[in-house]
Amino acid sequence: MDDTRQKTLMKRASLAEHKGEALSADERGIEASSAESDTESLAREGGLMERVCERENLKRALARVKRNKGAAGIDRMTVGELSVHLKAHWPVIREQLLAGQYQPQPVRRVEIDKPGGGGKRKLGIPCVLDRFIQQALLQVLEPIYEPTFSEFSFGFRPQRSARQAVALAQTYIVEGRRWVVDLDLEKFFDRVNHDLLMDRIAKRVSDKRILALIRRYLQAGVLAEGLVEATPEGTPQGGPLSPLLSNILLTDLDRMLEKRGHRFVRYADDSNIYVASERAGRRVKENVTRFLHSHLKLKVNEAKSAVAQPWQRKFLGFSFTSQAQPRRTIAPQARARFKQRVRELTFRTDGRALDETIQRLARYLEGWRGHFGFCETITTLRNLDGWIRRRLRSIVWKQWKRGRRRFAELRRRGVGRELAACTAGSAHGPWHLANSPALTQALPSKFFASLGLPSLYAQPVA
């Protein structure tokens, strides 16, 4: 592919977030070999470990690890202690890396609840030193592999986002592909075959020290309940290198789908294929399931996968409306998780001052809005805005405690005497009264905005 065409393609992909513009059939047919040629000779030259250990690369890796923060691994070293450790020990560590003798430490296993109460997700927390080395590795390997990845893969890649993935999915529906093959890979990160993965990596990387180090990271083991367990398969989630490794392996799936002319979008291990009919969807699901099992030794979770219409499924927390011009909306499961988290941050009896509660809540809302503000059903965002303010009003009402203070506070905030007296003496609970005329007048949206509460919708409403 010539440089001009490549730049045009990348520009259109980046604009998908804002315009929902689909790539043309001609652009979908571009062969991977053209994009890969520029990096292949570089990867094959050897000496990649020297590049990993270059001073500027290490400075960038250290800055990124510090910025990402994160918990300590099994050695209990914190991110703040890493610089001091490197000053004392880096010459020895560097020598081990260059000699191909560095041995990573096992990762510390933690389990977190899956969204929607679907069991536990196992995360591996590498030691801070290993996160630093993995980040340095990533910065050298990512430019080699990035041009070889599919245009329809969006997860954990520079200049690509979940919003772009959702926008592209929307364009497929607009095109008339109103059935989706929603694939969920069963315990993907726990079941990656090491030999298959290393074979894919070795096709582009000839430095044996790099290959040996990656395999050692894959097989470093996991510390769980005081015992180190072997890891004969899988790439533990939590390390900087794991997302790149997953994309390297799943590129095989992308290329197969491209070769067969499918309209699809993949974000990490979450893949959606858009087709014109249910019958076509079932055929595609069967073929892809067979390919994943035979070619990549991966298993499709049948309980979580389906052939359905897009508005019956979710993708990266979004769903779509069923109109002729479908709009992005927030999936019910994502709304439920949002409300549960807000409840946790606004617990009525935790004794926090209102401004402190709002500060904690604001940090969460800003991050949530960064993803879900892409929603096109504005009523959904406005309703969630109103629900948050109602919850905060119920907190304030609870804090005012007794009738006399409640009456005085309502009067001080401009509520008429009769309405204030009626509301202060009401037998209804805080949640009911939080939506009453008296409290919406006394504690309007601009009051909460003055305390730093961000709106999920661009124009806050009362």
Side-chain angles (χ1 to χ4, degrees), residues 345 356-368 452 454:
L345 292 170
E356 183 181 354
T357 296
I358 289 179
Q359 287 174 18
R360 295 174 68 222
L361 180 60
R363 288 193 291 271
Y364 171 69
L365 295 181
E366 290 286 2
W368 189 91

Side-chain angles (χ1 to χ4, degrees), residues 280-392:
R282 295 194 182 282
R283 183 177 65 251
V284 169
K285 180 174 179 290
E286 181 180 344
N287 291 338
V288 173
T289 299
R290 188 184 308 115
F291 172 87
L292 288 167
H293 179 72
S294 62
H295 193 74
L296 296 179
K297 300 188 185 304
L298 296 172
K299 184 178 180 181
V300 170
N301 187 330
E302 294 293 343
K304 295 184 178 180
S305 301
V307 176
Q309 295 185 295
W311 40 91
Q312 297 172 329
R313 305 296 292 177
K314 64 180 178 67
F315 181 55
L316 302 177
F318 287 91
S319 188
F320 302 95
T321 62
S322 59
Q323 294 119 320
Q325 290 296 320
R327 292 184 296 163
R328 299 181 295 271
T329 188
I330 302 171
Q333 303 93 320
R335 292 201 299 270
R337 289 197 299 270
F338 171 81
K339 286 190 171 185
Q340 179 57 35
R341 182 59 182 147
V342 171
R343 290 187 186 99
E344 293 169 358
L345 292 170
T346 59
F347 195 62
R348 288 202 296 261
T349 59
D350 66 0
R352 295 179 188 272
L354 180 64
D355 57 349
E356 183 181 354
T357 296
I358 289 179
Q359 287 174 18
R360 295 174 68 222
L361 180 60
R363 288 193 291 271
Y364 171 69
L365 295 181
E366 290 286 2
W368 189 91
R369 187 173 62 179
H371 180 69
F372 287 103
F374 196 44
C375 169
E376 291 179 314
T377 51
I378 303 305
T379 300
T380 300
L381 297 177
R382 295 179 65 178
N383 288 343
L384 289 175
D385 254 353
W387 179 82
I388 291 169
R389 288 191 295 273
R390 183 176 179 181
R391 185 157 182 87
L392 291 174

Side-chain angles (χ1 to χ4, degrees), residues 227-240:
L227 298 174
V228 175
E229 299 176 1
T231 49
E233 61 180 4
T235 60
Q237 297 182 70

Side-chain angles (χ1 to χ4, degrees), residues 40-48 141 144-145 201-211:
E40 186 163 1
S41 60
L42 180 62
R44 283 291 175 192
E45 286 175 356
L48 286 182
L141 294 178
I144 293 171
Y145 285 99
I201 297 171
K203 288 179 179 178
R204 300 208 154 270
V205 173
S206 61
D207 191 323
K208 294 182 179 180
R209 298 165 298 178
I210 296 285
L211 297 174

Side-chain angles (χ1 to χ4, degrees), residues 51-63 136 139:
R51 292 178 56 200
V52 170
C53 294
E54 284 178 357
R55 181 177 179 82
E56 288 304 313
N57 187 55
L58 296 174
K59 286 172 64 177
R60 288 171 51 216
L62 181 59
Q139 291 167 182

Side-chain angles (χ1 to χ4, degrees), residues 104-319:
Q105 296 188 65
V107 301
R108 180 166 67 88
R109 174 173 290 169
V110 296
E111 295 185 349
I112 62 172
D113 293 329
K114 287 186 177 180
K120 298 286 186 178
R121 173 176 286 123
K122 296 178 181 178
L123 298 181
I125 302 178
C127 297
V128 175
L129 174 60
D130 283 322
R131 295 211 295 271
F132 166 69
I133 295 173
Q134 283 193 36
Q135 181 63 37
L137 265 174
L138 174 66
Q139 291 167 182
V140 170
L141 294 178
E142 188 173 66
I144 293 171
Y145 285 99
E146 179 60 27
T148 74
F149 291 153
S150 170
E151 289 299 324
F152 311 106
S153 160
F154 293 87
F156 309 114
R157 295 180 60 189
Q159 308 304 317
R160 286 173 171 263
S161 68
R163 285 188 169 194
Q164 291 174 339
V166 173
L168 182 57
Q170 186 177 16
T171 65
Y172 294 145
I173 305 170
V174 171
E175 289 176 355
R177 298 176 182 276
R178 301 211 155 206
W179 288 86
V180 60
V181 182
D182 186 359
L183 293 175
D184 182 272
L185 296 181
E186 188 172 292
K187 298 181 179 179
F188 168 73
F189 286 95
D190 296 333
R191 291 184 173 172
V192 168
N193 183 282
H194 290 174
D195 291 334
L196 284 175
L197 175 59
M198 292 307 304
D199 176 69
R200 303 310 188 267
I201 297 171
K203 288 179 179 178
R204 300 208 154 270
V205 173
S206 61
D207 191 323
K208 294 182 179 180
R209 298 165 298 178
I210 296 285
L211 297 174
L213 181 58
I214 292 175
R215 188 176 280 276
R216 288 192 191 113
Y217 273 121
L218 293 173
Q219 298 180 339
V222 175
L223 181 67
E225 298 181 357
L227 298 174
V228 175
E229 299 176 1
T231 49
E233 61 180 4
T235 60
Q237 297 182 70
L241 202 56
S242 289
L244 175 65
L245 300 182
S246 67
N247 276 330
I248 290 173
L249 186 65
L250 288 175
T251 293
D252 283 18
L253 171 62
D254 299 338
R255 296 305 178 205
M256 183 275 287
L257 294 173
E258 288 176 353
K259 184 177 180 180
R260 298 185 182 184
H262 291 305
R263 305 294 191 266
F264 74 97
V265 57
R266 182 175 66 80
Y267 193 95
D269 60 331
D270 197 350
S271 300
N272 276 9
I273 308 165
Y274 292 83
V275 295
S277 68
E278 182 178 13
R279 181 180 178 183
R282 295 194 182 282
R283 183 177 65 251
V284 169
K285 180 174 179 290
E286 181 180 344
N287 291 338
V288 173
T289 299
R290 188 184 308 115
F291 172 87
L292 288 167
H293 179 72
S294 62
H295 193 74
L296 296 179
K297 300 188 185 304
L298 296 172
K299 184 178 180 181
V300 170
N301 187 330
E302 294 293 343
K304 295 184 178 180
S305 301
V307 176
Q309 295 185 295
W311 40 91
Q312 297 172 329
R313 305 296 292 177
K314 64 180 178 67
F315 181 55
L316 302 177
F318 287 91
S319 188

